[in-house]
Amino acid sequence: MQQLTKPLISLPARFSLQTSLMTLLLIWGNTSLAAGDDDPLVSKLIIDQLELRDTDEDETWVLDAQGWVGKDLHKLWFKVDAERSEGNSQELELQALYNKAIAPYWDFQLGLRKDLKPSPSRSWAVIGIQGLAPYYFEIDSALFIGESGRAALRLEAEYELLFTQRLILSPEIELNLHAQNDAEHGIGSGLSDIEAGLRLRYEIRREFAPYMGIYWTKRFGNTADFARQEGLDSSEWQWVIGIRSWF
Amino acid sequence: MKNRLYGQQPLTRSSMSRRRFVTGLAATGACLGLGAGSALSMASPNSRQGPVTLRGNQFDLNVAYQAVNFTGKSRVATAINASVPAPILRWREGERVRLRVKNNLAEDTSIHWHGIILPSGMDGVPGLSFEGIKPGESFEYQFDVNQSGTYWYHSHSGYQEPRGMYGAIVIDPKEPEPFSYDRDYVVMLSDWSDEDPQDIYAKLKKFSHYYNFSQRTAGDLWRDIKEKGVAQTWRERAMWNHMRMSETDISDVTGYTYTYLMNGATPDEGWVGLFKRGEKIRLRFINAASMTIFDVRIPGLTMTVVAADGQNIEPVSVDEFRLGVAETYDVIVQPSDDSAYTVFAQSIDRSGFTRGTLTPDQSLQAVVPAMDAAPILGHRDMGMDHGMHDMEAQAEHGAQADHNQHDMSHRPGAEHHHQQPMTGLMTVDHSAHSDHAEPLAKAGFGSNRDIRHLASEHGPHVDMLAESPQDGIADPGIGLRQHAELHGRKVLTYADIRNLYTTADPREPSREIELHLTGNMSRYMWSMNGIRYSDAEPLELQYGERVRITLVNDTMMTHPMHLHGMWSELETGDPLHIPRKHTVIVQPGSKVSYLVTADAIGRWAYHCHLIYHMAGMFREVRVR
């Protein structure tokens, strides 16, 4: 039962540390037992959102993906958040985390986050909890500690409502809080923004589901002020169309 | 006699549609022509008749890759003598058999003789009995056959068994059978997937309900609210929602990927067994599936069960029985007319079925019944203290359910009065505890102890603890409990099974070993006592001792547990007639006890026979 590993996610070269860690994982090894290996090395790449957001003014491409490689209780976990508008990369955020199962439905995550866009880039340490709360709420929460006293908290929750075995409505909400202003990034202290989405997907296969839905965001306090200076509304909503996939 | 099946056989498989229980893709009713001109050398050449029978006491078994096609797609099986299922081996009690197994695979192989009492070195478990058979090499198994009845054999290496490496063993007794029959058929049930078993396992690790397409939907919720009202629906759903478990989680791998086979024939082909009116037909049911528990019936015929796991029992007449993976039942039916009858085997989750026909005439077929309603798990299947039908229990004890949730969902750090410090000791050995002053329950009646959960059962690897497991002996099992009242069917339970002969070892058990079947469904981790096989110490038995093993199922899955080398003497309530089994179903959230006489020196395997549970839910049993 070796060779469960699929080709690994390719990451920017600057994350070569992770590449070497993955090599270590591969050496983790398989024991030869009467019963076979119950805990083989497995990897998964999940593209939660690969979507086009459509407003009156412009079109935005969004990628929200995560992946992991590892065993039952210990994994290396990666997250990518990218936004591209009018051919320009507006946002590119990468996370590389060590993931440890701490409870039947909960994982603890520790690692690094790098915001490559917008510039100037930002680096953060990450402490997070990800898992499934009672009543099937998928939770992803993290505390980010950056340079110069920057700190941020992100809370995400997602739910799935099955209309049929394949037609699934998925509401989700994300809250971002910041400890201080970051004018270069247009972020204000306190509750900076709330994002909410409602996506209806059809699972052609488990691994592949096109969807459509709506996306709504609202900026608060200084964040809203920064946005207004840029000529943006403090809140906006957009139609989205996209693909959810994993393998 | 040497085996007759080497090389090519005439291809008689006709062009017919092969139905898959696949809700996606384009496989439904795919027509394909695999006539005699096909370039493929097909396994099980005449699948409507089942595999050939090899008789005698010397056998050559050739393990090799073999092209098969069950779904319209060609796949490579690991087959014995180019046949899926493998040839039926017919032995005689009292003879010594020699079986030379040649490995023509590119990987190690092995054959385990399931249910056969033999020396440890001949048991065929790589790493425990022997080193396995290397590619290109042969191994000669040799042992005395001291039993009779229906058994089977299969690979114990990697995923060769789900790739087709299984066959039936029929042992004719020295003494005449205690019952008579005119026809004798093996009915071997199995499951086939075109997917690579490693891919299936990886999918389960990544997304554990990948194959479950019976999840509760908004429509179900709306119907429940209309029928039962909001309050009752909320009470029923709250626990599942709170515990993050699914009450439709019955089979890990389903008809979404499996084609269910009867003697190697797909349901569209249909295995055929001939009879003449008034004849008694002996059907030897064997579940050789890798992941599928079957519920079996023959509409219109009452089945008299005469043997369980190869061992004769007091005949009991039933309309339906559940056949756990690796279990066998021998039944006798006697059609009194010239009609055809459908042998119907539906998977426990009702995601598919296989079927065959008993008929006086090849051209005559019977109606294939619709599948029954899929089971919905209830509180008792979670090991909760609700001994009644789930609906009634919930109506009566709705308020209590909330209370129980807290008991069930508490986790490391929470105090637990049964908890013990984690030690290297694998089992709760009740004889070693002075707090149990009262004697062990009498042989034949099962454990009377309170169960206890070990500290090793707490952590991210275990998602459920059965706080008040029910007795699994008299329980027909999930999905079958209402069949008597709904359909008027008598369903076999373990409580119906009594050995035809007197209990061979009348001693009382000297100690009791409690083992918990544990796991985390969503992480797809399986273990015993919360410890997976690779981290576990062997379970030590003293040669000659008689012990009671109590299995507590702390999961929502039905686990068929198989102890190699020694009988599992199931305590069904009659100490004088304790039936002997090699594989015992442990119902979800339930417990079951059996006695074991440790009369076989050596290292033995003890495990769940569901192939994707086996690696973790496994123990070595060491008798010395």
Side-chain angles (χ1 to χ4, degrees):
Chain A
M1 259 170 35
Q2 59 275 42
Q3 293 303 349
L4 267 171
T5 324
K6 293 268 155 69
L8 298 170
I9 317 143
S10 71
L11 285 162
R14 65 177 63 215
F15 281 84
S16 61
L17 170 68
Q18 274 61 55
T19 324
S20 36
L21 278 171
M22 277 186 274
T23 318
L24 268 177
L25 272 170
L26 285 161
I27 301 166
W28 209 327
N30 296 315
T31 40
S32 177
L33 295 162
D37 183 9
D38 72 310
D39 191 9
L41 189 69
V42 180
S43 65
K44 185 178 183 184
L45 176 62
I46 311 144
I47 298 164
D48 281 320
Q49 293 166 10
L50 174 60
E51 68 187 22
L52 186 62
R53 289 180 186 166
D54 184 45
T55 57
D56 296 337
E57 299 94 44
D58 57 357
E59 287 177 346
T60 306
W61 281 95
V62 173
L63 172 69
D64 183 356
Q66 50 187 320
W68 52 258
V69 54
K71 300 203 165 197
D72 289 336
L73 299 177
H74 304 274
K75 293 178 169 76
L76 286 177
W77 205 288
F78 310 95
K79 297 179 184 178
V80 181
D81 240 323
E83 225 178 279
R84 212 177 158 81
S85 197
E86 293 163 336
N88 292 314
S89 187
Q90 304 283 316
E91 191 187 315
L92 179 59
E93 175 194 310
L94 303 171
Q95 292 183 48
L97 309 160
Y98 161 69
N99 182 96
K100 179 178 165 47
I102 51 165
Y105 298 99
W106 294 103
D107 290 350
F108 171 76
Q109 298 174 334
L110 191 68
L112 297 170
R113 165 180 154 188
K114 186 87 181 171
D115 301 346
L116 297 170
K117 290 280 170 66
S119 51
S121 70
R122 297 272 184 258
S123 298
W124 312 76
V126 186
I127 303 169
I129 296 281
Q130 186 164 354
L132 189 67
Y135 295 87
Y136 292 100
F137 288 99
E138 278 180 51
I139 304 293
D140 186 357
S141 60
L143 175 68
F144 304 102
I145 297 160
E147 304 121 311
S148 323
R150 273 188 288 272
L153 188 66
R154 179 182 292 164
L155 304 169
E156 287 179 64
E158 189 181 346
Y159 188 77
E160 293 191 344
L161 181 68
L162 275 67
F163 288 122
T164 71
Q165 300 300 320
R166 293 167 184 276
L167 185 66
I168 297 161
L169 183 69
S170 165
E172 66 167 55
I173 187 160
E174 177 181 324
L175 275 68
N176 284 295
L177 296 98
H178 286 86
Q180 55 178 249
N181 291 332
D182 183 350
E184 287 172 309
H185 282 193
I187 289 167
S189 65
L191 175 63
S192 48
D193 63 83
I194 293 180
E195 295 174 56
L198 187 65
R199 292 173 179 81
L200 182 68
R201 72 173 187 265
Y202 185 80
E203 292 187 349
I204 294 167
R205 292 175 58 83
R206 284 280 194 219
E207 297 92 334
F208 186 81
Y211 63 79
M212 55 184 295
I214 51 171
Y215 166 82
W216 173 85
T217 183
K218 184 164 176 61
R219 302 179 182 91
F220 298 91
N222 292 342
T223 311
D225 295 340
F226 287 131
R228 273 190 287 271
Q229 286 164 22
E230 297 277 315
L232 295 169
D233 293 331
S234 66
S235 81
E236 55 185 329
W237 73 272
Q238 297 160 345
W239 289 105
V240 302
I241 182 163
I243 300 283
R244 182 183 186 275
S245 181
W246 64 267
F247 48 89
Chain B
M1 190 203 285
K2 293 280 178 166
N3 72 64
R4 293 179 282 123
L5 183 81
Y6 262 133
Q8 304 301 306
Q9 285 281 311
L11 289 163
T12 53
R13 181 180 282 230
S14 58
S15 307
M16 56 191 309
S17 67
R18 290 169 174 81
R19 183 160 160 223
R20 283 182 79 185
F21 297 97
V22 173
T23 49
L25 304 172
T28 344
C31 271
L32 63 151
L34 286 169
S38 169
L40 283 168
S41 155
M42 298 303 300
S44 50
N46 187 348
S47 50
R48 296 190 74 196
Q49 306 294 318
V52 297
T53 301
L54 310 179
R55 294 166 190 275
N57 49 30
Q58 286 192 48
F59 301 87
D60 279 302
L61 301 176
N62 186 30
V63 184
Y65 299 111
Q66 173 67 43
V68 295
N69 190 329
F70 293 106
T71 65
K73 291 177 190 146
S74 184
R75 287 293 183 271
V76 176
T78 47
I80 297 170
N81 292 8
S83 174
V84 176
I88 298 167
L89 303 182
R90 193 121 196 172
W91 303 342
R92 292 193 60 79
E93 184 185 2
E95 289 194 355
R96 186 170 183 79
V97 289
R98 291 173 56 198
L99 304 120
R100 204 173 66 197
V101 179
K102 173 81 198 293
N103 182 8
N104 286 315
L105 304 175
E107 63 203 277
D108 286 16
T109 193
S110 60
I111 292 183
H112 165 60
W113 317 96
H114 191 113
I116 307 297
I117 301 298
L118 38 60
S120 160
M122 293 291 130
D123 198 43
V125 180
L128 292 184
S129 329
F130 72 148
E131 287 311 304
I133 310 168
K134 303 281 170 223
E137 293 184 1
S138 294
F139 182 85
E140 188 172 276
Y141 292 87
Q142 236 188 89
F143 48 87
D144 295 324
V145 179
N146 296 317
Q147 64 200 100
S148 65
T150 306
Y151 305 90
W152 65 298
Y153 63 110
H154 59 83
S155 168
H156 223 286
S157 300
Y159 290 130
Q160 293 163 7
E161 185 211 286
R163 302 302 287 169
M165 226 175 124
Y166 49 82
I169 297 170
V170 175
I171 310 172
D172 292 316
K174 260 193 295 201
E175 305 294 324
E177 301 274 14
F179 42 82
S180 65
Y181 50 94
D182 310 294
R183 302 254 180 183
D184 186 352
Y185 291 116
V186 165
V187 183
M188 180 167 253
L189 309 177
S190 60
D191 48 24
W192 173 268
S193 172
D194 280 345
E195 290 184 88
D196 187 320
Q198 287 187 12
D199 291 342
I200 295 178
Y201 192 53
K203 280 176 177 168
L204 292 167
K205 287 274 188 194
K206 293 180 201 183
F207 193 73
S208 63
H209 53 284
Y210 185 93
Y211 295 101
N212 180 1
F213 283 84
S214 308
Q215 297 180 77
R216 291 297 187 97
T217 63
D220 295 333
L221 182 65
W222 179 241
R223 199 174 50 243
D224 278 8
I225 288 172
K226 275 201 297 190
E227 281 173 14
K228 301 170 186 169
V230 174
Q232 172 67 8
T233 303
W234 173 258
R235 277 199 295 272
E236 284 178 25
R237 299 291 179 94
M239 177 191 73
W240 298 100
N241 280 311
H242 189 86
M243 295 195 57
R244 289 148 285 186
M245 289 185 168
S246 164
E247 65 269 55
T248 63
D249 195 354
I250 310 298
S251 298
D252 302 349
V253 189
T254 67
Y256 177 73
T257 188
Y258 280 144
T259 301
Y260 302 110
L261 307 177
M262 183 176 288
N263 288 335
T266 65
D268 276 3
E269 293 167 324
W271 168 78
V272 172
L274 293 171
F275 69 89
K276 292 200 183 78
R277 173 167 51 170
E279 281 182 334
K280 283 184 177 169
I281 312 163
R282 178 182 192 168
L283 300 172
R284 302 170 184 266
F285 285 97
I286 303 167
N287 187 345
S290 47
M291 286 298 283
T292 309
I293 294 164
F294 288 100
D295 292 336
V296 179
R297 63 199 166 94
I298 308 175
L301 292 179
T302 298
M303 301 179 282
T304 305
V305 186
V306 293
D309 288 3
Q311 301 290 295
N312 292 332
I313 62 168
E314 289 183 12
V316 51
S317 290
V318 300
D319 300 304
E320 187 167 24
F321 61 85
R322 172 156 293 170
L323 190 62
V325 170
E327 286 190 305
T328 80
Y329 285 116
D330 287 35
V331 310
I332 290 179
V333 294
Q334 190 171 21
S336 57
D337 59 8
D338 284 326
S339 309
Y341 295 89
T342 294
V343 182
F344 189 66
Q346 52 185 342
S347 69
I348 185 174
D349 66 331
R350 314 296 182 241
S351 63
F353 65 85
T354 188
R355 59 108 201 177
T357 311
L358 293 176
T359 178
D361 181 338
Q362 281 277 10
S363 63
L364 208 58
Q365 298 238 334
V367 170
V368 178
M371 286 189 285
D372 294 310
I376 303 287
L377 297 172
H379 285 195
R380 77 161 287 167
D381 307 312
M382 312 286 290
M384 290 182 164
D385 194 8
H386 289 172
M388 279 165 280
H389 287 176
D390 308 317
M391 300 303 166
E392 295 160 17
Q394 281 168 16
E396 289 179 32
H397 304 283
Q400 220 179 318
D402 277 329
H403 176 71
N404 278 345
Q405 282 165 22
H406 299 299
D407 285 341
M408 298 220 28
S409 52
H410 71 192
R411 285 295 151 214
E415 62 171 27
H416 193 286
H417 52 264
H418 286 322
Q419 213 163 306
Q420 292 183 325
M422 185 164 170
T423 63
L425 194 68
M426 299 307 313
T427 62
V428 184
D429 186 340
H430 282 297
S431 65
H433 291 282
S434 52
D435 55 332
H436 278 300
E438 77 269 29
L440 298 174
K442 290 286 179 198
F445 297 101
S447 174
N448 58 1
R449 302 287 194 205
D450 288 337
I451 59 117
R452 35 175 93 199
H453 295 289
L454 292 170
S456 54
E457 277 198 74
H458 293 267
H461 57 302
V462 177
D463 62 11
M464 180 185 134
L465 301 175
E467 293 297 325
S468 308
Q470 303 292 300
D471 183 9
I473 291 288
D475 179 16
I478 53 167
L480 294 178
R481 289 174 193 139
Q482 273 102 14
H483 278 198
E485 56 198 73
L486 287 178
H487 309 295
R489 293 182 208 148
K490 156 77 178 156
V491 180
L492 183 76
T493 71
Y494 281 164
D496 297 321
I497 301 178
R498 288 157 50 97
N499 199 327
L500 186 62
Y501 313 107
T502 353
T503 305
D505 185 347
R507 286 179 295 164
E508 295 296 330
S510 60
R511 62 187 178 116
E512 204 167 295
I513 297 164
E514 184 178 313
L515 287 166
H516 290 246
L517 311 180
T518 46
N520 182 327
M521 179 64 198
S522 62
R523 296 188 190 278
Y524 212 72
M525 301 170 72
W526 304 102
S527 53
M528 291 167 87
N529 286 350
I531 301 168
R532 64 197 184 120
Y533 174 53
S534 50
D535 295 334
E537 300 291 325
L539 181 63
E540 304 270 359
L541 298 182
Q542 283 283 315
Y543 179 72
E545 75 171 332
R546 187 150 169 90
V547 299
R548 170 179 287 132
I549 292 178
T550 297
L551 296 177
V552 180
N553 188 344
D554 285 324
T555 79
M556 299 162 45
M557 312 306 295
T558 304
H559 299 286
M561 296 298 297
H562 173 41
L563 173 62
H564 290 223
M566 290 152 278
W567 291 111
S568 303
E569 298 182 49
L570 193 57
E571 298 185 89
T572 59
D574 182 350
L576 295 177
H577 298 276
I578 302 177
R580 305 199 291 194
K581 292 186 100 280
H582 50 62
T583 308
V584 171
I585 284 181
V586 195
Q587 314 271 12
S590 298
K591 60 179 178 175
V592 75
S593 293
Y594 46 80
L595 303 172
V596 174
T597 293
D599 55 3
I601 296 264
R603 301 171 71 191
W604 302 99
Y606 184 26
H607 58 92
C608 176
H609 220 282
L610 301 177
I611 194 91
Y612 303 114
H613 293 187
M614 182 175 150
M617 201 179 277
F618 191 115
R619 281 293 181 274
E620 176 188 342
V621 172
R622 204 171 277 180
V623 181
R624 54 185 177 190

